[in-house]
Amino acid sequence: MLSKACERVNPTNSTNVERTSREDELIGEGYCVGRHARKPVIAGNWKMYKTIAETESFFAEIRPLVAGSAHCDMVIAPPFTLLRRAVEAAEGSGISISAQNLHWESE
């Protein structure tokens, strides 16, 4: 079902208007179209469970899988100790790197 954010809205009177076939095609591919459309964000973190080698391996595996993806923004939030390596590994891939909050527990 098409959510309100993905409906095309006529900016002059804010009533729904019929979508074009291209808009239907884009919606079928997962894009939102129209005045209120926002690009989806896919984000993930791995808490404290990866090493430097596992981080590099992860990015080596994911980069080809997301190459050329334009339908969403991608964000990975590694632990603080892996931020630099993640930034280096993600460079030029279209994957953004984010930081996580700290927590007092050991895991």
Side-chain angles (χ1 to χ4, degrees), residues 32-62:
C32 287
V33 296
R35 189 177 118 199
H36 299 291
R38 288 188 280 170
K39 189 183 251 188
V41 174
I42 297 176
N45 66 31
W46 54 66
K47 304 290 183 211
M48 298 171 266
Y49 298 110
K50 289 199 187 296
T51 64
I52 290 172
E54 290 169 329
T55 298
E56 292 169 346
S57 176
F58 171 82
F59 280 99
E61 291 179 34
I62 200 168

Side-chain angles (χ1 to χ4, degrees), residues 61-77:
E61 291 179 34
I62 200 168
R63 285 179 67 113
L65 299 175
V66 300
S69 294
H71 69 285
C72 67
D73 290 327
M74 296 165 281
V75 181
I76 301 290

Side-chain angles (χ1 to χ4, degrees), residues 63-97:
R63 285 179 67 113
L65 299 175
V66 300
S69 294
H71 69 285
C72 67
D73 290 327
M74 296 165 281
V75 181
I76 301 290
F80 171 76
T81 55
L82 299 172
L83 281 173
R84 189 181 111 226
R85 290 295 174 102
V87 168
E88 292 168 354
E91 188 174 356
S93 69
I95 299 171
S96 298
I97 303 300

